[in-house]
Amino acid sequence: MRERPGTAACDDREGGEGDLGGGDGRTVQGVDGCPTVTRVRRHLVVRGFVQGVGFRWTAAHEAQRLGVAGWVRNRADGSVEAVVEGDEPAVDAFVGWARHGPRGASVSSLDVTAQEPEHLASFDVEP
């Protein structure tokens, strides 16, 4: 008897890389009937009291914890800019964290824009 997708048969399969969702981050059914999570990329601009509170270094720690790649930097206008890419659930978790930032930060707004993944391999803290 064949196991239905969503059971152990899907958890044990190899592969799963590749963007079957057209780059928009959707989870779609792969050729084997198992769900495939696509790699996504998001550009973030975080505004508020977000510089001088360890936002970039905490973002790097959060990125490492979630297993996402990208970069973060301060902008001259007092905001923080970041790019993060990886599996959609991990990127979504990073975006959720950025909505409040580290202790001491006060995020007043967060702009999030979808971009095409560039398959970055690390997360860098820029000046």
Side-chain angles (χ1 to χ4, degrees), residues 47-99:
R47 292 183 179 83
F49 184 68
V50 293
Q51 290 189 13
V53 294
F55 200 104
R56 292 175 299 149
W57 299 104
T58 309
H61 177 75
E62 190 69 8
Q64 181 179 16
R65 185 183 74 80
L66 294 168
V68 297
W71 51 264
V72 62
R73 66 181 171 201
N74 286 338
R75 293 178 17 156
D77 66 1
S79 65
V80 169
E81 179 180 24
V83 165
V84 61
E85 66 176 60
D87 289 340
E88 184 177 22
V91 171
D92 287 347
F94 185 93
V95 171
W97 171 84
R99 291 188 191 288

Side-chain angles (χ1 to χ4, degrees), residues 94 122 124:
F94 185 93
S122 63
D124 298 320

Side-chain angles (χ1 to χ4, degrees), residues 2-124:
R2 182 184 156 143
E3 294 186 53
R4 290 183 299 172
T7 64
C10 291
D11 294 338
D12 294 337
R13 71 190 168 113
E14 291 186 23
E17 303 274 330
D19 187 359
L20 299 176
D24 63 1
R26 294 178 293 149
T27 301
V28 298
Q29 183 174 335
V31 293
D32 59 1
C34 295
T36 300
V37 177
T38 60
R39 188 171 182 91
V40 298
R41 177 181 171 111
R42 302 291 181 257
H43 176 259
L44 288 68
V45 177
V46 189
R47 292 183 179 83
F49 184 68
V50 293
Q51 290 189 13
V53 294
F55 200 104
R56 292 175 299 149
W57 299 104
T58 309
H61 177 75
E62 190 69 8
Q64 181 179 16
R65 185 183 74 80
L66 294 168
V68 297
W71 51 264
V72 62
R73 66 181 171 201
N74 286 338
R75 293 178 17 156
D77 66 1
S79 65
V80 169
E81 179 180 24
V83 165
V84 61
E85 66 176 60
D87 289 340
E88 184 177 22
V91 171
D92 287 347
F94 185 93
V95 171
W97 171 84
R99 291 188 191 288
H100 58 80
R103 181 179 303 161
S106 178
V107 176
S108 61
S109 70
L110 174 65
D111 297 333
V112 181
T113 306
Q115 297 180 336
E116 285 296 317
E118 295 181 7
H119 301 282
L120 301 173
S122 63
F123 193 92
D124 298 320

